[in-house]
Amino acid sequence: MHIKSTTFVKSATKPANYPPAALPEIAFAGRSNVGKSSLINVLVNRKALVRTSSTPGRTQLLNFFDINGAFSLVDLPGYGFAKVPLAVKKEWGPMVRTYLERRESLRAVVVLFDIRRVPREEDLQLLDWLEELSVPTIPVITKIDKVSRGQRLKQIGPILEATGLDRDDFTLFSAPTREGMEEIWERVEAALEAGEEPDPSIESDSSAVPGDEADLSPPTGE
Ligand SMILES: Nc1nc2c(ncn2[C@@H]2O[C@H](COP(=O)(O)OP(=O)(O)OP(=O)(O)O)[C@@H](O)[C@H]2O)c(=O)[nH]1
Ligand SMILES: [Mg+2]
């Protein structure tokens, strides 16, 4: 993905305040502190487009970003942080559920899991909603730099067991090493393209090789 521009559009909590659903959109969800904002920053190659924090639970808003004027990324509020006041915790469910139900431009949700943690109720709730609402899901296991290569398979066992997903459903990712970044871009691009209306004026070419289009090719490294 060639990133020409990344712009923070706005924060919102309810549909009336969402920006217009003019562009296809990909959202990022997961528990507080799992690394949602860090993943977005790595994808768009910016150190701090999205604020990351060592104080989990600070982002209690939906944050909308415009990429290349072509699609949007949304950083969803995290859940499950013990120190968040109960009133705020109660808002998370309706806020996220409403977004998933009502956002017509939503193409997929990237769901993050920490390689060191067993998924909990809210993680499974989120997966259930995505399935119920038929929202395509891109599961990611993050912070893989925190365990040795040899330990990876053993560490992800409880995640596979709790979610019922297969090893191949997950992309393994690390923000500091950027491992997995290209694979996540490929999955995001596929989700963005899957939602496109076929343009009858363009002759379909089923033999096209993915990545042919200049703008949609994987990063060439830097
Ligand atoms: N080692 C390691 N640390 C990471 C990784 N991703 C994120 N972190 C760290 O984890 C902490 C939380 O990351 P954020 O990106 O702010 O997490 P978040 O999911 O956006 O958290 P909330 O906004 O509070 O919901 C920060 O200190 C990050 O530097 C990773 O892949 N590896
Ligand atoms: Mg965040």
Side-chain angles (χ1 to χ4, degrees):
M1 175 66 64
H2 178 58
I3 304 295
K4 289 171 282 194
S5 68
T6 54
T7 318
F8 170 68
V9 178
K10 72 183 295 195
S11 297
T13 58
K14 52 179 197 278
N17 298 333
Y18 298 168
L23 298 172
E25 193 160 283
I26 305 289
F28 295 75
R31 73 176 35 253
S32 203
N33 209 39
V34 72
K36 298 175 292 296
S37 304
S38 301
L39 170 56
I40 294 174
N41 284 330
V42 167
L43 289 177
V44 302
N45 198 20
R46 289 269 293 267
K47 280 209 173 66
L49 173 72
V50 191
R51 199 167 11 144
T52 58
S53 66
S54 45
T55 338
R58 286 231 323 240
T59 328
Q60 293 300 334
L61 303 162
L62 296 93
N63 291 304
F64 294 82
F65 299 89
D66 174 289
I67 312 299
N68 294 351
F71 59 95
S72 316
L73 299 182
V74 182
D75 196 7
L76 295 175
Y79 47 80
F81 183 59
K83 286 183 189 160
V84 170
L86 190 62
V88 175
K89 272 190 202 166
K90 281 188 178 158
E91 281 163 19
W92 177 83
M95 200 192 304
V96 170
R97 166 102 197 176
T98 301
Y99 169 79
L100 298 176
E101 278 174 354
R102 305 267 291 271
R103 190 64 168 166
E104 57 276 27
S105 49
L106 180 63
R107 295 286 183 270
V109 177
V110 179
V111 182
L112 285 83
F113 297 87
D114 186 322
I115 192 163
R116 301 161 305 171
R117 290 177 184 273
V118 178
R120 291 173 39 184
E121 201 186 321
E122 299 99 323
D123 297 297
L124 304 177
Q125 171 75 265
L126 176 65
L127 291 177
D128 281 351
W129 285 344
L130 292 167
E131 197 182 345
E132 178 198 334
L133 299 167
S134 302
V135 178
T137 303
I138 302 175
V140 168
I141 293 175
T142 189
K143 304 199 184 182
I144 58 166
D145 56 286
K146 293 280 194 182
V147 305
S148 71
R149 241 165 222 281
Q151 287 291 309
R152 279 184 191 177
L153 217 56
K154 181 169 165 259
Q155 284 284 335
I156 68 178
I159 301 178
L160 303 186
E161 197 179 323
T163 59
L165 297 170
D166 296 328
R167 162 67 189 90
D168 289 347
D169 295 327
F170 290 94
T171 299
L172 303 189
F173 175 74
S174 162
T177 71
R178 301 178 157 221
E179 185 177 344
M181 176 186 77
E182 299 199 4
E183 189 178 307
I184 295 174
W185 263 131
E186 282 167 18
R187 298 180 76 182
V188 164
E189 284 167 12
L192 289 169
E193 284 167 19
E196 271 171 22
E197 296 289 327
D199 184 339
S201 68
I202 298 171
E203 213 177 294
S204 78
D205 179 7
S206 55
S207 66
V209 180
D212 258 6
E213 304 87 346
D215 258 12
L216 292 173
S217 57
T220 46
E222 69 249 46

